Amino acid sequence: MNIFDLLPGDTNATPKPSDTSVVAICSRKGCREMATMKLLWNNPKIHTPERRKTWLACSEHVAWLEDYLQSRSLWKETLPMSPKDSA
């Protein structure tokens, strides 16, 4: 049993990965939807300027996560997920 199985939501909405594939999941707390975008960010107080951290976002939460990072001056770029990002 996985602790995330206890979260509320439509369990049929999240694709179940097979043994050979990995599904990118949204980084928003409590969301288990498949990610469609990636948000690149860094914290200039602790990261070098070229370093990029990545959060993944579903279509519903991309704006919320982007706003969260922008309001803290951490956001750098938002890009669509490519097939190689899921692997």
Side-chain angles (χ1 to χ4, degrees):
M1 178 180 210
N2 185 332
I3 191 168
F4 295 113
D5 292 336
L6 302 174
L7 291 172
D10 183 7
T11 57
N12 294 328
T14 303
K16 302 294 182 201
S18 68
D19 292 327
T20 59
S21 68
V22 175
V23 176
I25 302 296
C26 181
S27 297
R28 177 76 162 104
K29 184 178 180 179
C31 183
R32 307 305 300 156
E33 295 297 316
M34 188 169 66
T36 58
M37 302 292 283
K38 57 185 178 179
L39 291 87
L40 305 179
W41 64 279
N42 83 353
N43 184 340
K45 293 180 182 178
I46 60 174
H47 299 130
T48 59
E50 64 277 353
R51 170 110 188 245
R52 293 294 182 265
K53 306 273 289 177
T54 303
W55 279 355
L56 303 178
C58 67
S59 56
E60 182 180 347
H61 292 121
V62 67
W64 191 95
L65 290 167
E66 193 173 278
D67 181 60
Y68 179 91
L69 292 168
Q70 286 177 344
S71 68
R72 290 157 178 79
S73 300
L74 304 176
W75 178 85
K76 299 298 177 194
E77 189 174 16
T78 300
L79 301 170
M81 294 279 292
S82 66
K84 69 178 181 114
D85 292 329
S86 301

Coordinates of all heavy atoms in Angstrom, one line a residue:
M1 N 0.8 -1.2 0.0 CA 0.0 0.0 0.0 C 0.9 1.2 0.0 O 1.9 1.3 0.7 CB -0.9 0.0 1.2 CG -1.8 1.2 1.3 SD -2.8 1.1 2.8 CE -4.2 2.0 2.2
N2 N 0.5 2.2 -0.8 CA 1.2 3.5 -0.9 C 0.5 4.5 -0.1 O -0.8 4.6 -0.2 CB 1.3 3.8 -2.4 CG 2.1 5.1 -2.7 OD1 2.2 5.9 -1.8 ND2 2.6 5.1 -3.9
I3 N 1.2 5.4 0.6 CA 0.5 6.4 1.4 C -0.3 7.4 0.5 O -1.3 7.9 1.0 CB 1.6 7.2 2.2 CG1 0.9 8.1 3.3 CG2 2.5 8.0 1.4 CD1 1.8 8.7 4.3
F4 N 0.1 7.6 -0.7 CA -0.6 8.5 -1.6 C -1.9 7.9 -2.1 O -2.8 8.6 -2.5 CB 0.3 8.8 -2.8 CG 1.5 9.6 -2.4 CD1 2.7 9.1 -2.6 CD2 1.3 10.9 -1.9 CE1 3.9 9.8 -2.2 CE2 2.5 11.6 -1.5 CZ 3.7 11.1 -1.7
D5 N -2.1 6.6 -1.9 CA -3.4 6.0 -2.2 C -4.5 6.5 -1.2 O -5.7 6.4 -1.5 CB -3.4 4.5 -2.1 CG -2.5 3.9 -3.2 OD1 -2.3 4.6 -4.2 OD2 -2.0 2.8 -3.0
L6 N -4.1 7.0 -0.1 CA -5.1 7.5 0.9 C -5.6 9.0 0.6 O -6.5 9.4 1.2 CB -4.4 7.5 2.3 CG -3.9 6.2 2.8 CD1 -3.2 6.3 4.1 CD2 -5.0 5.2 2.9
L7 N -4.9 9.6 -0.4 CA -5.3 11.0 -0.7 C -6.7 11.0 -1.4 O -6.9 10.1 -2.2 CB -4.3 11.7 -1.6 CG -2.9 12.0 -0.9 CD1 -1.9 12.4 -1.9 CD2 -3.1 13.0 0.1
P8 N -7.5 12.1 -1.2 CA -8.7 12.1 -1.9 C -8.5 12.4 -3.4 O -7.4 12.9 -3.8 CB -9.5 13.3 -1.3 CG -8.4 14.1 -0.7 CD -7.3 13.2 -0.3
G9 N -9.4 12.1 -4.2 CA -9.3 12.4 -5.7 C -9.7 11.2 -6.5 O -10.0 10.1 -6.0
D10 N -9.8 11.4 -7.8 CA -10.2 10.4 -8.7 C -9.0 9.5 -9.0 O -8.1 9.9 -9.7 CB -10.7 11.0 -10.0 CG -11.2 10.0 -11.0 OD1 -11.3 8.8 -10.7 OD2 -11.6 10.4 -12.1
T11 N -9.0 8.3 -8.5 CA -7.9 7.4 -8.7 C -7.8 6.9 -10.1 O -6.7 6.4 -10.6 CB -8.0 6.2 -7.7 OG1 -9.2 5.5 -8.0 CG2 -7.9 6.6 -6.3
N12 N -8.9 7.0 -10.9 CA -8.9 6.6 -12.3 C -8.2 7.6 -13.2 O -7.9 7.3 -14.3 CB -10.3 6.2 -12.8 CG -10.8 5.0 -12.0 OD1 -10.1 4.1 -11.7 ND2 -12.1 5.1 -11.8
A13 N -8.1 8.8 -12.7 CA -7.5 9.9 -13.5 C -6.0 9.8 -13.7 O -5.5 10.4 -14.6 CB -7.9 11.3 -12.9
T14 N -5.3 9.2 -12.7 CA -3.9 9.1 -12.8 C -3.4 7.8 -13.5 O -3.8 6.8 -13.1 CB -3.3 9.1 -11.4 OG1 -3.7 10.3 -10.7 CG2 -1.8 9.1 -11.4
P15 N -2.7 8.0 -14.6 CA -2.2 6.8 -15.3 C -1.3 6.0 -14.4 O -0.5 6.5 -13.7 CB -1.4 7.3 -16.5 CG -1.6 8.8 -16.5 CD -2.2 9.2 -15.2
K16 N -1.5 4.7 -14.4 CA -0.7 3.8 -13.7 C 0.5 3.3 -14.5 O 0.3 2.8 -15.6 CB -1.5 2.5 -13.2 CG -2.7 2.8 -12.4 CD -2.3 3.4 -11.1 CE -3.6 3.7 -10.2 NZ -3.4 4.6 -9.2
P17 N 1.7 3.6 -14.0 CA 2.9 3.2 -14.8 C 3.0 1.7 -14.9 O 2.7 0.9 -14.0 CB 4.1 3.8 -14.1 CG 3.6 3.9 -12.7 CD 2.1 4.2 -12.8
S18 N 3.5 1.2 -16.1 CA 3.8 -0.2 -16.2 C 5.2 -0.5 -15.6 O 5.9 0.4 -15.2 CB 3.7 -0.6 -17.7 OG 4.8 0.0 -18.4
D19 N 5.6 -1.7 -15.7 CA 6.9 -2.0 -15.1 C 8.0 -1.4 -15.9 O 9.1 -1.2 -15.3 CB 7.1 -3.6 -15.1 CG 6.2 -4.2 -14.1 OD1 5.9 -3.6 -13.1 OD2 5.8 -5.4 -14.4
T20 N 7.8 -1.0 -17.1 CA 8.9 -0.5 -17.9 C 8.8 1.0 -18.2 O 9.7 1.6 -18.8 CB 9.0 -1.2 -19.3 OG1 7.7 -1.0 -20.0 CG2 9.2 -2.7 -19.1
S21 N 7.8 1.7 -17.7 CA 7.6 3.1 -17.9 C 7.5 3.9 -16.6 O 7.2 3.3 -15.6 CB 6.4 3.4 -18.8 OG 5.2 3.1 -18.1
V22 N 7.8 5.2 -16.7 CA 7.7 6.1 -15.6 C 6.8 7.2 -16.0 O 6.9 7.7 -17.1 CB 9.1 6.6 -15.2 CG1 9.0 7.7 -14.1 CG2 10.0 5.5 -14.8
V23 N 5.8 7.6 -15.1 CA 4.9 8.7 -15.4 C 5.3 9.9 -14.6 O 5.5 9.8 -13.4 CB 3.5 8.2 -15.0 CG1 2.5 9.4 -15.3 CG2 3.1 7.1 -15.9
A24 N 5.5 11.0 -15.2 CA 5.8 12.3 -14.5 C 4.6 12.8 -13.9 O 3.6 13.0 -14.5 CB 6.4 13.3 -15.5
I25 N 4.6 13.0 -12.6 CA 3.5 13.5 -11.8 C 3.7 15.0 -11.4 O 4.8 15.4 -11.1 CB 3.4 12.6 -10.5 CG1 3.2 11.1 -10.9 CG2 2.2 13.1 -9.6 CD1 1.9 10.8 -11.6
C26 N 2.6 15.7 -11.3 CA 2.6 17.1 -11.0 C 3.2 17.3 -9.6 O 3.0 16.5 -8.7 CB 1.1 17.6 -11.0 SG 0.9 19.3 -10.5
S27 N 4.0 18.4 -9.4 CA 4.6 18.7 -8.1 C 3.7 19.4 -7.1 O 4.1 19.5 -6.0 CB 5.9 19.5 -8.4 OG 6.8 18.9 -9.2
R28 N 2.6 19.8 -7.5 CA 1.6 20.5 -6.6 C 1.2 19.5 -5.5 O 0.9 18.3 -5.8 CB 0.4 21.0 -7.3 CG -0.6 21.6 -6.5 CD -0.2 23.0 -6.0 NE -1.4 23.8 -5.6 CZ -1.6 24.0 -4.3 NH1 -0.9 23.6 -3.3 NH2 -2.7 24.8 -4.0
K29 N 1.3 19.9 -4.2 CA 1.0 19.1 -3.1 C -0.4 18.5 -3.3 O -1.4 19.1 -3.5 CB 1.0 19.9 -1.8 CG 0.8 19.1 -0.6 CD 0.9 19.9 0.7 CE 0.7 19.1 1.9 NZ 0.8 19.9 3.1
G30 N -0.5 17.1 -3.1 CA -1.7 16.4 -3.2 C -2.2 16.1 -4.6 O -3.1 15.3 -4.8
C31 N -1.6 16.6 -5.6 CA -2.0 16.3 -7.0 C -1.3 15.1 -7.5 O -0.1 15.0 -7.3 CB -1.7 17.5 -7.9 SG -2.2 17.3 -9.6
R32 N -2.0 14.2 -8.2 CA -1.4 13.0 -8.7 C -1.6 12.9 -10.2 O -1.5 11.8 -10.8 CB -2.0 11.7 -8.0 CG -2.0 11.7 -6.5 CD -0.6 11.9 -5.9 NE 0.3 10.9 -6.3 CZ 1.6 11.0 -6.4 NH1 2.2 12.1 -6.0 NH2 2.4 10.0 -6.7
E33 N -1.9 14.0 -10.8 CA -2.2 14.1 -12.3 C -0.8 14.0 -13.1 O 0.2 14.4 -12.5 CB -2.9 15.3 -12.7 CG -4.3 15.4 -12.1 CD -5.2 14.3 -12.6 OE1 -5.2 14.0 -13.8 OE2 -5.9 13.7 -11.8
M34 N -0.9 13.6 -14.3 CA 0.3 13.5 -15.1 C 0.7 14.9 -15.5 O -0.1 15.8 -15.8 CB -0.1 12.8 -16.4 CG 1.1 12.5 -17.3 SD 0.8 11.3 -18.6 CE -0.3 12.3 -19.6
A35 N 2.0 15.2 -15.4 CA 2.6 16.5 -15.7 C 2.7 16.7 -17.2 O 2.9 15.8 -18.0 CB 4.0 16.6 -15.1
T36 N 2.4 18.0 -17.6 CA 2.5 18.4 -19.0 C 3.5 19.5 -19.2 O 3.9 19.7 -20.3 CB 1.1 18.8 -19.5 OG1 0.7 19.9 -18.7 CG2 0.1 17.7 -19.5
M37 N 3.9 20.1 -18.1 CA 4.9 21.2 -18.2 C 5.9 21.1 -17.2 O 5.7 20.4 -16.1 CB 4.1 22.6 -18.0 CG 3.0 22.9 -18.9 SD 3.5 23.2 -20.6 CE 4.2 24.8 -20.4
K38 N 7.1 21.7 -17.4 CA 8.1 21.7 -16.4 C 8.5 23.1 -16.1 O 8.7 24.0 -17.0 CB 9.3 20.8 -16.8 CG 10.0 21.2 -18.1 CD 11.1 20.2 -18.4 CE 11.7 20.6 -19.8 NZ 12.8 19.7 -20.1
L39 N 8.7 23.5 -14.8 CA 9.0 24.8 -14.4 C 10.5 24.8 -13.9 O 10.8 24.0 -13.0 CB 8.1 25.3 -13.3 CG 6.7 25.6 -13.7 CD1 5.9 24.3 -13.7 CD2 6.1 26.7 -12.9
L40 N 11.3 25.6 -14.5 CA 12.7 25.6 -14.1 C 12.9 26.8 -13.2 O 12.4 27.9 -13.5 CB 13.6 25.8 -15.4 CG 13.4 24.7 -16.5 CD1 14.3 25.0 -17.6 CD2 13.6 23.3 -15.9
W41 N 13.6 26.6 -12.1 CA 13.8 27.6 -11.1 C 15.2 27.4 -10.4 O 15.8 26.4 -10.5 CB 12.7 27.7 -10.1 CG 12.5 26.4 -9.3 CD1 12.0 25.2 -9.7 CD2 13.0 26.2 -8.0 NE1 12.0 24.3 -8.6 CE2 12.7 24.9 -7.6 CE3 13.7 27.0 -7.1 CZ2 13.0 24.4 -6.3 CZ3 14.0 26.5 -5.8 CH2 13.6 25.2 -5.5
N42 N 15.6 28.5 -9.7 CA 16.7 28.3 -8.7 C 16.6 29.4 -7.7 O 15.9 30.4 -7.8 CB 18.0 28.4 -9.4 CG 18.6 29.7 -9.7 OD1 17.9 30.7 -9.6 ND2 19.8 29.8 -10.3
N43 N 17.2 29.1 -6.6 CA 17.2 30.1 -5.4 C 18.6 30.7 -5.5 O 19.6 30.1 -5.1 CB 17.0 29.3 -4.1 CG 16.9 30.3 -3.0 OD1 17.4 31.4 -3.0 ND2 16.3 29.8 -1.9
P44 N 18.7 32.0 -5.9 CA 20.0 32.6 -6.0 C 20.7 32.8 -4.7 O 21.9 32.9 -4.7 CB 19.6 34.0 -6.6 CG 18.2 34.2 -6.3 CD 17.6 32.9 -6.2
K45 N 20.1 32.6 -3.6 CA 20.7 32.7 -2.3 C 21.6 31.4 -2.0 O 22.5 31.5 -1.3 CB 19.7 32.9 -1.1 CG 19.1 34.2 -1.2 CD 18.1 34.3 0.0 CE 17.4 35.7 -0.1 NZ 16.4 35.8 0.9
I46 N 21.2 30.3 -2.6 CA 21.9 29.0 -2.4 C 22.4 28.3 -3.6 O 23.2 27.4 -3.5 CB 21.1 28.1 -1.5 CG1 19.8 27.7 -2.2 CG2 20.8 28.7 -0.1 CD1 18.9 26.7 -1.5
H47 N 21.9 28.7 -4.8 CA 22.3 28.0 -6.0 C 23.2 28.9 -6.9 O 22.9 30.1 -6.9 CB 21.1 27.6 -6.8 CG 20.2 26.6 -6.1 ND1 18.8 26.8 -6.0 CD2 20.5 25.5 -5.5 CE1 18.3 25.8 -5.3 NE2 19.3 25.0 -5.0
T48 N 24.1 28.3 -7.7 CA 24.8 29.1 -8.7 C 23.8 29.6 -9.8 O 22.8 28.9 -10.0 CB 26.0 28.3 -9.3 OG1 25.4 27.1 -9.9 CG2 27.0 27.9 -8.2
P49 N 24.2 30.7 -10.5 CA 23.2 31.2 -11.5 C 22.8 30.2 -12.6 O 21.7 30.2 -13.1 CB 24.0 32.4 -12.1 CG 24.9 32.8 -11.0 CD 25.3 31.5 -10.3
E50 N 23.7 29.3 -13.0 CA 23.4 28.3 -14.0 C 22.6 27.1 -13.6 O 22.1 26.4 -14.4 CB 24.7 27.9 -14.8 CG 25.7 27.1 -13.9 CD 26.6 28.0 -13.1 OE1 26.6 29.2 -13.2 OE2 27.3 27.4 -12.2
R51 N 22.5 26.9 -12.3 CA 21.8 25.7 -11.7 C 20.3 25.9 -11.9 O 19.8 27.0 -11.8 CB 22.1 25.6 -10.2 CG 21.2 24.6 -9.5 CD 22.0 23.4 -9.1 NE 21.2 22.4 -8.6 CZ 21.2 21.9 -7.3 NH1 22.0 22.5 -6.4 NH2 20.4 21.0 -7.0
R52 N 19.7 24.8 -12.3 CA 18.2 24.8 -12.5 C 17.6 23.6 -11.8 O 18.0 22.5 -12.0 CB 17.8 24.7 -14.0 CG 18.2 26.0 -14.8 CD 17.4 27.2 -14.4 NE 17.7 28.4 -15.1 CZ 18.6 29.3 -14.8 NH1 19.3 29.2 -13.7 NH2 18.8 30.3 -15.5
K53 N 16.7 23.9 -10.9 CA 15.8 22.9 -10.3 C 14.6 22.8 -11.1 O 14.2 23.7 -11.9 CB 15.5 23.3 -8.9 CG 16.7 23.7 -8.0 CD 17.3 22.6 -7.3 CE 16.4 22.1 -6.2 NZ 16.9 20.9 -5.5
T54 N 13.9 21.7 -11.0 CA 12.7 21.4 -11.9 C 11.5 21.0 -11.0 O 11.6 20.1 -10.2 CB 13.0 20.4 -12.9 OG1 14.1 20.7 -13.7 CG2 11.8 20.1 -13.8
W55 N 10.4 21.7 -11.3 CA 9.1 21.2 -10.8 C 8.3 20.8 -12.0 O 8.4 21.4 -13.0 CB 8.4 22.3 -10.0 CG 8.8 22.5 -8.6 CD1 9.7 21.8 -7.9 CD2 8.3 23.5 -7.7 NE1 9.9 22.3 -6.6 CE2 9.0 23.3 -6.5 CE3 7.4 24.6 -7.8 CZ2 8.8 24.2 -5.4 CZ3 7.2 25.4 -6.8 CH2 7.9 25.2 -5.5
L56 N 7.5 19.8 -11.8 CA 6.6 19.4 -12.9 C 5.1 19.8 -12.6 O 4.8 19.9 -11.4 CB 6.6 17.8 -13.0 CG 8.0 17.3 -13.3 CD1 7.9 15.7 -13.3 CD2 8.6 17.8 -14.5
A57 N 4.4 20.1 -13.6 CA 3.0 20.6 -13.4 C 2.0 20.0 -14.4 O 2.3 19.9 -15.6 CB 3.0 22.2 -13.5
C58 N 0.8 19.7 -13.9 CA -0.3 19.4 -14.8 C -0.9 20.7 -15.3 O -0.5 21.8 -14.9 CB -1.3 18.6 -14.0 SG -2.2 19.5 -12.7
S59 N -1.7 20.5 -16.3 CA -2.3 21.8 -16.9 C -3.1 22.6 -15.9 O -3.2 23.8 -16.0 CB -3.2 21.4 -18.1 OG -4.2 20.5 -17.7
E60 N -3.7 22.0 -14.9 CA -4.5 22.7 -13.9 C -3.6 23.5 -12.9 O -4.0 24.6 -12.5 CB -5.3 21.7 -13.1 CG -6.2 22.3 -12.0 CD -7.0 21.3 -11.2 OE1 -7.1 20.2 -11.7 OE2 -7.6 21.7 -10.2
H61 N -2.4 23.1 -12.7 CA -1.6 23.7 -11.6 C -0.4 24.5 -12.2 O 0.4 25.1 -11.4 CB -1.1 22.7 -10.6 CG -2.2 22.1 -9.8 ND1 -2.5 20.8 -9.8 CD2 -3.1 22.7 -9.0 CE1 -3.5 20.6 -9.0 NE2 -3.9 21.7 -8.5
V62 N -0.1 24.5 -13.5 CA 1.0 25.2 -14.0 C 1.0 26.7 -13.6 O 2.1 27.2 -13.2 CB 1.2 25.0 -15.5 CG1 0.1 25.6 -16.3 CG2 2.6 25.5 -16.0
A63 N -0.1 27.4 -13.7 CA -0.2 28.8 -13.4 C 0.1 29.0 -11.9 O 0.8 30.0 -11.5 CB -1.5 29.4 -13.8
W64 N -0.5 28.2 -11.1 CA -0.3 28.3 -9.6 C 1.1 28.2 -9.2 O 1.7 29.0 -8.5 CB -1.2 27.3 -8.8 CG -1.3 27.6 -7.4 CD1 -2.2 28.3 -6.7 CD2 -0.3 27.2 -6.4 NE1 -1.9 28.3 -5.4 CE2 -0.7 27.7 -5.1 CE3 0.9 26.5 -6.4 CZ2 -0.1 27.5 -4.0 CZ3 1.6 26.3 -5.2 CH2 1.1 26.8 -4.0
L65 N 1.8 27.1 -9.7 CA 3.2 26.9 -9.4 C 4.1 28.0 -9.9 O 5.0 28.4 -9.3 CB 3.6 25.5 -9.9 CG 3.0 24.3 -9.2 CD1 3.3 23.0 -9.9 CD2 3.6 24.2 -7.8
E66 N 3.8 28.5 -11.2 CA 4.6 29.5 -11.8 C 4.4 30.8 -10.9 O 5.4 31.5 -10.7 CB 4.1 29.8 -13.2 CG 5.0 30.6 -14.0 CD 4.6 30.7 -15.5 OE1 5.0 29.7 -16.2 OE2 3.9 31.6 -15.9
D67 N 3.2 31.1 -10.5 CA 3.0 32.3 -9.7 C 3.7 32.2 -8.4 O 4.3 33.2 -7.9 CB 1.5 32.5 -9.5 CG 1.2 33.8 -8.6 OD1 1.6 34.9 -9.1 OD2 0.6 33.6 -7.6
Y68 N 3.7 31.0 -7.8 CA 4.4 30.8 -6.5 C 5.9 31.1 -6.6 O 6.5 31.8 -5.8 CB 4.1 29.3 -6.1 CG 4.8 29.0 -4.8 CD1 4.2 29.1 -3.5 CD2 6.1 28.5 -4.8 CE1 4.8 28.7 -2.4 CE2 6.7 28.1 -3.6 CZ 6.1 28.3 -2.4 OH 6.7 27.9 -1.2
L69 N 6.5 30.6 -7.7 CA 7.9 30.8 -7.9 C 8.2 32.2 -8.3 O 9.2 32.8 -7.8 CB 8.4 29.8 -9.0 CG 8.4 28.3 -8.6 CD1 8.7 27.5 -9.8 CD2 9.5 28.1 -7.5
Q70 N 7.4 32.8 -9.1 CA 7.6 34.2 -9.5 C 7.5 35.2 -8.3 O 8.3 36.1 -8.2 CB 6.6 34.6 -10.6 CG 7.0 34.0 -12.0 CD 6.0 34.4 -13.0 OE1 4.9 34.8 -12.8 NE2 6.3 34.1 -14.3
S71 N 6.6 35.0 -7.5 CA 6.4 35.9 -6.3 C 7.6 35.8 -5.3 O 7.8 36.7 -4.6 CB 5.1 35.5 -5.6 OG 5.2 34.3 -4.9
R72 N 8.4 34.8 -5.4 CA 9.6 34.6 -4.6 C 10.8 34.9 -5.4 O 11.9 34.6 -4.9 CB 9.6 33.2 -4.0 CG 8.5 33.1 -2.9 CD 8.1 31.7 -2.7 NE 7.1 31.6 -1.6 CZ 5.8 31.8 -1.8 NH1 5.3 32.2 -3.0 NH2 4.9 31.7 -0.8
S73 N 10.7 35.4 -6.6 CA 11.8 35.6 -7.5 C 12.7 34.4 -7.7 O 13.9 34.5 -7.8 CB 12.7 36.8 -7.0 OG 11.9 37.9 -6.9
L74 N 12.1 33.2 -7.9 CA 12.8 32.0 -8.1 C 12.6 31.4 -9.5 O 13.4 30.7 -10.0 CB 12.3 30.9 -7.1 CG 12.5 31.3 -5.6 CD1 11.9 30.2 -4.7 CD2 13.9 31.5 -5.2
W75 N 11.5 31.8 -10.2 CA 11.1 31.2 -11.5 C 12.1 31.7 -12.5 O 12.5 32.9 -12.6 CB 9.7 31.7 -11.8 CG 9.3 31.2 -13.2 CD1 8.7 30.0 -13.5 CD2 9.3 32.0 -14.4 NE1 8.4 30.0 -14.8 CE2 8.8 31.1 -15.4 CE3 9.7 33.2 -14.7 CZ2 8.6 31.6 -16.7 CZ3 9.6 33.6 -16.0 CH2 9.1 32.8 -17.0
K76 N 12.5 30.8 -13.4 CA 13.3 31.1 -14.6 C 12.7 30.9 -15.9 O 12.8 31.7 -16.8 CB 14.6 30.3 -14.5 CG 15.5 30.5 -13.3 CD 15.9 32.0 -13.2 CE 16.7 32.3 -11.9 NZ 16.9 33.6 -11.6
E77 N 12.0 29.7 -16.1 CA 11.4 29.4 -17.4 C 10.4 28.2 -17.2 O 10.5 27.4 -16.3 CB 12.6 28.9 -18.2 CG 12.2 28.7 -19.7 CD 13.5 28.3 -20.5 OE1 14.5 28.0 -19.9 OE2 13.4 28.4 -21.7
T78 N 9.3 28.3 -18.0 CA 8.4 27.2 -18.1 C 8.4 26.6 -19.5 O 8.3 27.3 -20.5 CB 6.9 27.7 -17.8 OG1 6.9 28.3 -16.5 CG2 5.9 26.6 -17.9
L79 N 8.5 25.3 -19.6 CA 8.7 24.6 -20.8 C 7.7 23.4 -20.9 O 7.4 22.8 -19.9 CB 10.1 24.0 -21.0 CG 11.2 25.1 -21.0 CD1 12.6 24.3 -20.9 CD2 11.2 26.0 -22.2
P80 N 7.2 23.1 -22.1 CA 6.4 21.9 -22.2 C 7.2 20.6 -22.0 O 8.4 20.6 -22.3 CB 5.9 21.9 -23.7 CG 6.8 22.8 -24.4 CD 7.4 23.8 -23.4
M81 N 6.6 19.6 -21.5 CA 7.2 18.3 -21.3 C 7.4 17.7 -22.7 O 6.6 17.7 -23.5 CB 6.4 17.4 -20.5 CG 6.2 17.8 -19.0 SD 7.6 17.4 -18.0 CE 7.5 15.6 -17.9
S82 N 8.6 17.0 -22.9 CA 8.8 16.3 -24.1 C 8.8 14.8 -23.8 O 8.9 14.4 -22.6 CB 10.2 16.7 -24.7 OG 11.2 16.3 -23.9
P83 N 8.6 13.9 -24.7 CA 8.5 12.5 -24.4 C 9.8 12.0 -23.7 O 9.7 11.1 -22.8 CB 8.5 11.8 -25.8 CG 7.8 12.9 -26.7 CD 8.4 14.2 -26.1
K84 N 11.0 12.6 -23.9 CA 12.2 12.1 -23.3 C 12.2 12.5 -21.8 O 12.9 11.9 -21.0 CB 13.4 12.6 -24.0 CG 13.7 14.0 -23.9 CD 15.0 14.4 -24.5 CE 15.2 15.9 -24.4 NZ 16.3 16.3 -23.6
D85 N 11.4 13.6 -21.4 CA 11.3 14.0 -20.0 C 10.6 13.0 -19.1 O 10.9 13.0 -17.9 CB 10.6 15.4 -19.9 CG 11.4 16.5 -20.5 OD1 12.6 16.5 -20.5 OD2 10.7 17.4 -21.0
S86 N 9.7 12.2 -19.7 CA 9.0 11.2 -18.9 C 9.8 10.0 -18.6 O 9.5 9.3 -17.7 CB 7.7 10.8 -19.7 OG 6.9 11.9 -19.9
A87 N 10.8 9.8 -19.5 CA 11.6 8.6 -19.3 C 12.7 8.7 -18.3 O 13.0 9.7 -17.7 CB 12.3 8.2 -20.6

